[in-house]
């Protein structure tokens, strides 16, 4: 019985810590309609690109932007925001009771209480139009060569 109480006393401070209960990374899902677009993800330790649909792992405290490109479609840039959902707030608040200032500092530094939004990132691509600045410009028609003078 004493061993059980001792083990509980050692483990309890960690249960309130969002870094322990939620982790410091999360998976971000990216999909497009139509599929097969290239998603360039900036803000990761190593800039990453994938072909949609795909999933990337990111640190919760990362400032992430997803840039979507597909030939024949308008490029899209999606900046992700960071929010504290209920489960993250509960883990962070648990530090007040169990983890103390150290647990709060760890959670703040790692962003463990945060989630990226939107997640999943879902993008409907728009076809390029002639008026689009990204559309290839039409070439002017070729002029016929001037008539040669006859001698």
């Amino acid at each position: 019985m004493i061993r059980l109480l001792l083990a509980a006393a050692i483990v309890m401070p960690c249960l309130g810590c969002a870094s322990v209960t939620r982790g410091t990374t999360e998976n971000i899902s990216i999909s497009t309609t139509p599929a097969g677009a290239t998603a360039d993800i900036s803000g990761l330790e190593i800039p990453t690109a994938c072909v949609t649909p795909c999933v990337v792992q990111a640190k919760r405290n990362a400032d992430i932007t997803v840039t979507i490109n597909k030939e024949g479609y308008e490029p899209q840039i999606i900046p992700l925001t960071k929010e504290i959902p209920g489960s993250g707030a509960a883990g962070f608040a648990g530090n007040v009771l169990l983890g103390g200032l150290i647990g709060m500092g760890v959670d703040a530094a790692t962003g463990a209480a945060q989630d990226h939004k939107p997640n999943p990132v879902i993008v409907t691509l728009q076809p390029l139009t002639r008026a689009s600045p990204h559309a290839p410009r039409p070439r002017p028609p070729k002029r016929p060569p001037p008539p040669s003078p006859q001698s």
Side-chain angles (χ1 to χ4, degrees):
M1 179 69 169
I2 293 177
R3 285 185 184 179
L4 181 60
L5 290 174
L6 182 59
I10 292 170
V11 172
M12 276 307 266
C14 294
L15 293 179
C17 182
S19 298
V20 173
T21 59
R22 295 171 36 84
T24 59
T25 62
E26 69 178 312
N27 290 331
I28 298 174
S29 299
I30 305 167
S31 65
T32 59
T33 302
T38 300
D40 292 301
I41 302 93
S42 64
L44 303 178
E45 286 181 355
I46 299 172
T48 303
C50 59
V51 176
T52 62
C54 57
V55 176
V56 294
Q57 189 174 59
K59 287 190 174 187
R60 291 184 185 274
N61 63 351
D63 293 319
I64 295 175
T65 300
V66 179
T67 303
I68 307 287
N69 287 294
K70 184 171 176 84
E71 190 172 330
Y73 293 88
E74 294 282 343
Q76 300 286 324
I77 299 173
I78 302 95
L80 275 56
T81 60
K82 294 176 279 192
E83 296 179 3
I84 299 176
S87 59
F92 190 76
N95 286 313
V96 173
L97 301 173
L98 303 169
L101 292 175
I102 294 172
M104 291 175 127
V106 169
D107 286 351
T110 62
Q114 301 175 353
D115 282 341
H116 287 96
K117 299 290 179 199
N119 189 9
V121 176
I122 301 171
V123 176
T124 301
L125 296 171
Q126 302 300 315
L128 288 173
T129 62
R130 292 232 180 242
S132 168
H134 302 288
R137 295 184 182 196
R139 294 183 183 184
K142 290 186 177 181
R143 294 183 185 163
S148 54
Q150 295 183 0
S151 356

